[in-house]
Amino acid sequence: MAQANPWSAYIDRIREAHTPEALDTLEHELFGRKEGAMTLAMKALKDLDAEGKKQQAQELNTWKKQLTETIAEQRTALLHPSDDALASSDAMDITLSLPPRERGSLHLIPSFMEHAADVFGRMGFDVATGPEVESEEMNFDMLNIPPDHPARDAQDTFWVQGKDKRVLRTHTSPVQIRYMREHKPPLRMICMGKVYRKDADATHSPVFHQLEGLMIGKDVSLANMKAVMVNAVRELLGRDVEYRFRTGYFPFVEPGLEMDIRWQGDEQTREGNWLEVVGCGMVHPNVLKNCGIDVEEGDGVTPRQLNPTWQGFAFGFGIDRLVMIKHQIPSIKMLFEGDMRFLRQF
Ligand code: DAH
């Protein structure tokens, strides 16, 4: 019986190679520089007589070409398996059930921000942004904060090194200025983001989040401010939220107020069960002037209602505190620690 041609056996083996490594081994077996089967066969040609050499060389060259091409084809097939090959391959067991994948979700803070953008959006407020590294001018001067105000003190503010007197913004209020300089009144905007202060305890963190709001119009009053803010906290925290307004001082508003919300903090932080969540008030005329908004002083005779001027309110909520109240979280730190056992609860 004629012996099977060794080269055609190689062709079969190449087609059966299922991994790139197996293919490399075969290639080496055939074409290795010292011991390769084809290499040795080529070398052996020199021992043949002229006629035999010619015939044999022709035959070997045909096989060599075919083997090389088959290797190349198989290599491509392994890199890009066809759908048929995939379907018939037992490498994929479609009956195998994998452990359930954990679904990610937004962290409490960005998720609250999305909700807030929606609530204020329905009241006609635009969402604005501003830089976290802010100029001293925007963060303080333009907001009518005098040079000797304690908030500028190194106690509270992180200063950025360099000659140009920049700070990590201590509040989102500078975005009011940026917005009013770019948009003409009437306007309504909110801005949410990170702010920075050298401060840390159960209700303070060096990085926290604020939600700034601003509404300017010809007839916008403190009553409008109260309506907007009460509606917002009810939507965000629940209909039965208990709140109170107190007077408060901020250089960029006159009059200024603060709002507290009742919550169940832990013993150390309860502060009589009320937690301050927002500063607010009617935007100070100096701030409007700094933004090029006309504030007519009035002639002292014409009733104001007959000659309305631009005026409005602003507020700055502490987002982290609202989130703490909403979910009864006793310490602000829990929002930033990244402990999955805590985060998975929400
Ligand atoms: N920027 C103030 C702070 O961080 C909060 C604030 C108070 C914002 C009154 C306002 C406002 O817009 O009108 O303490």
Side-chain angles (χ1 to χ4, degrees), residues 170-173 176 197 210 212-213 250 252-253 279-281 314-316:
T170 58
H171 51 181
T172 42
S173 302
Q176 289 184 31
R197 283 186 209 175
Q210 286 190 339
E212 194 79 18
F250 302 95
F252 31 94
V253 284
C280 55
F315 52 80

Side-chain angles (χ1 to χ4, degrees), residues 2-298:
Q3 232 194 331
N5 181 321
W7 308 123
S8 82
Y10 268 115
I11 298 274
D12 292 343
R13 286 175 64 195
I14 292 168
R15 295 221 166 100
E16 283 159 17
H18 283 312
T19 63
E21 293 74 24
L23 209 53
D24 289 345
T25 311
L26 271 173
E27 190 173 32
H28 186 73
E29 236 177 80
L30 276 166
F31 301 114
R33 293 229 289 152
K34 282 193 180 147
E35 302 285 327
M38 182 58 79
T39 319
L40 291 179
M42 289 287 197
K43 271 187 191 155
L45 284 176
K46 69 177 189 314
D47 301 330
L48 298 177
D49 61 33
E51 188 55 27
K53 190 189 272 182
K54 190 177 166 205
Q55 195 203 336
Q56 192 60 356
Q58 231 169 27
E59 198 177 322
L60 279 183
N61 273 325
T62 312
W63 279 113
K64 187 177 173 187
K65 187 164 173 257
Q66 206 180 329
L67 287 162
T68 318
E69 281 170 6
T70 314
I71 289 175
E73 275 165 25
Q74 186 66 4
R75 192 159 273 143
T76 319
L78 286 177
L79 282 177
H80 309 286
S82 68
D83 289 348
D84 286 351
L86 274 180
S88 64
S89 148
D90 57 4
M92 187 162 81
D93 176 358
I94 57 166
T95 65
L96 187 70
S97 62
L98 297 170
R101 264 210 213 167
E102 191 169 5
R103 280 189 68 186
S105 63
L106 274 186
H107 181 273
L108 288 170
I109 304 258
S111 137
F112 186 91
M113 287 181 178
E114 274 193 356
H115 190 188
D118 186 41
V119 166
F120 282 100
R122 274 184 272 129
M123 292 192 276
F125 284 75
D126 190 13
V127 177
T129 55
E132 287 176 25
V133 178
E134 196 40 292
S135 65
E136 182 185 25
E137 190 193 18
M138 291 285 182
N139 197 81
F140 297 120
D141 303 87
M142 291 299 122
L143 287 160
N144 199 37
I145 302 176
D148 53 355
H149 193 277
R152 289 199 193 204
D153 204 317
Q155 287 285 313
D156 289 319
T157 306
F158 288 108
W159 291 88
V160 176
Q161 273 185 346
K163 313 190 271 311
D164 54 351
K165 292 254 192 173
R166 287 184 306 161
V167 300
L168 295 186
R169 68 178 179 195
T170 58
H171 51 181
T172 42
S173 302
V175 184
Q176 289 184 31
I177 307 290
R178 292 180 175 276
Y179 195 86
M180 283 191 278
R181 287 186 170 184
E182 277 169 21
H183 300 81
K184 290 216 172 323
L187 52 85
R188 298 176 207 196
M189 76 92 187
I190 60 164
C191 160
M192 295 177 282
K194 289 191 173 61
V195 299
Y196 303 84
R197 283 186 209 175
K198 288 185 189 166
D199 220 351
D201 62 30
T203 49
H204 296 87
S205 153
V207 186
F208 58 108
H209 301 82
Q210 286 190 339
L211 187 167
E212 194 79 18
L214 175 70
M215 177 168 174
I216 305 290
K218 285 246 157 151
D219 49 4
V220 175
S221 69
L222 205 62
N224 296 137
M225 179 188 90
K226 199 177 160 196
V228 166
M229 290 174 68
V230 169
N231 184 51
V233 295
R234 283 201 178 134
E235 293 261 351
L236 291 166
L237 303 179
R239 290 275 130 198
D240 51 356
V241 62
E242 266 186 86
Y243 60 85
R244 70 179 183 197
F245 282 94
R246 297 180 279 109
T247 52
Y249 173 73
F250 302 95
F252 31 94
V253 284
E254 180 59 40
L257 293 92
E258 288 174 35
M259 185 198 217
D260 302 328
I261 291 185
R262 199 190 277 285
W263 81 313
Q264 316 295 325
D266 67 11
E267 280 307 316
Q268 284 166 350
T269 58
R270 48 201 294 170
E271 290 169 11
N273 263 351
W274 290 102
L275 188 62
E276 181 210 324
V277 296
V278 60
C280 55
M282 296 300 288
V283 179
H284 197 288
N286 287 350
V287 174
L288 296 175
K289 281 183 211 155
N290 288 342
C291 301
I293 294 180
D294 238 7
V295 255
E296 289 152 34
E297 303 297 345

